Amino acid sequence: QVQLVESGGGLVQAGGSLRLSCAASGVPFSRSPMGWYRQAPGKQRELVAAITPGGGTKYADSIKGRFAISRDVTKSTVDLQMNGLRPEDTGVYYCNAGGRISKTSDTLDYTASDYWGQGTQVTVSS
């Protein structure tokens, strides 16, 4: 049974930082691509960042240079360090496990699997 448990959300002022963590179980973590998504009120869920088993990363254009995704195989966790937060970063952040990676010569894309966590709320005040 796949379980993904997110933590680390909260309320922060614009310009502040948060670190989200997702603890995974029931998946072959060392071989699983992982992703972070977010959903703002009234909007579709969107990919924020993804990481391959080998450490390759994919970031949404809107968060490049501000967020960083990392994974710890010894703990089966994937973290999202968020710096320089903006009000438009507000939303529920979801962890996804075992998605599909597609690569071209210069791009990497992540397509979500059906395995989701329950989400953690991030609210950035202006």
Side-chain angles (χ1 to χ4, degrees):
Q1 181 181 357
V2 176
Q3 281 195 320
L4 303 171
V5 180
E6 301 101 334
S7 60
L11 173 64
V12 64
Q13 288 189 332
S17 298
L18 284 173
R19 188 175 183 90
L20 306 183
S21 187
C22 170
S25 60
V27 293
F29 186 82
S30 64
R31 303 193 305 272
S32 296
M34 301 291 294
W36 280 99
Y37 285 72
R38 68 185 179 191
Q39 187 165 20
K43 294 189 176 181
Q44 286 191 330
R45 195 172 296 190
E46 63 175 356
L47 177 67
V48 176
I51 187 166
T52 71
T57 56
K58 158 78 174 183
Y59 293 101
D61 288 343
S62 60
I63 59 88
K64 280 182 181 176
R66 299 188 296 124
F67 292 11
I69 189 171
S70 61
R71 62 193 296 156
D72 187 332
V73 175
T74 64
K75 298 178 182 177
S76 295
T77 56
V78 58
D79 289 356
L80 186 67
Q81 177 65 44
M82 306 187 295
N83 300 323
L85 283 161
R86 304 168 181 170
E88 54 264 39
D89 295 318
T90 293
V92 180
Y93 283 69
Y94 297 91
C95 179
N96 183 267
R100 182 171 58 86
I101 293 290
S102 56
K103 293 181 181 179
T104 64
S105 58
D106 58 355
T107 62
L108 182 153
D109 287 308
Y110 181 91
T111 302
S113 72
D114 293 334
Y115 300 124
W116 296 94
Q118 82 287 351
T120 186
Q121 176 70 45
V122 171
T123 303
V124 185
S125 63
S126 57

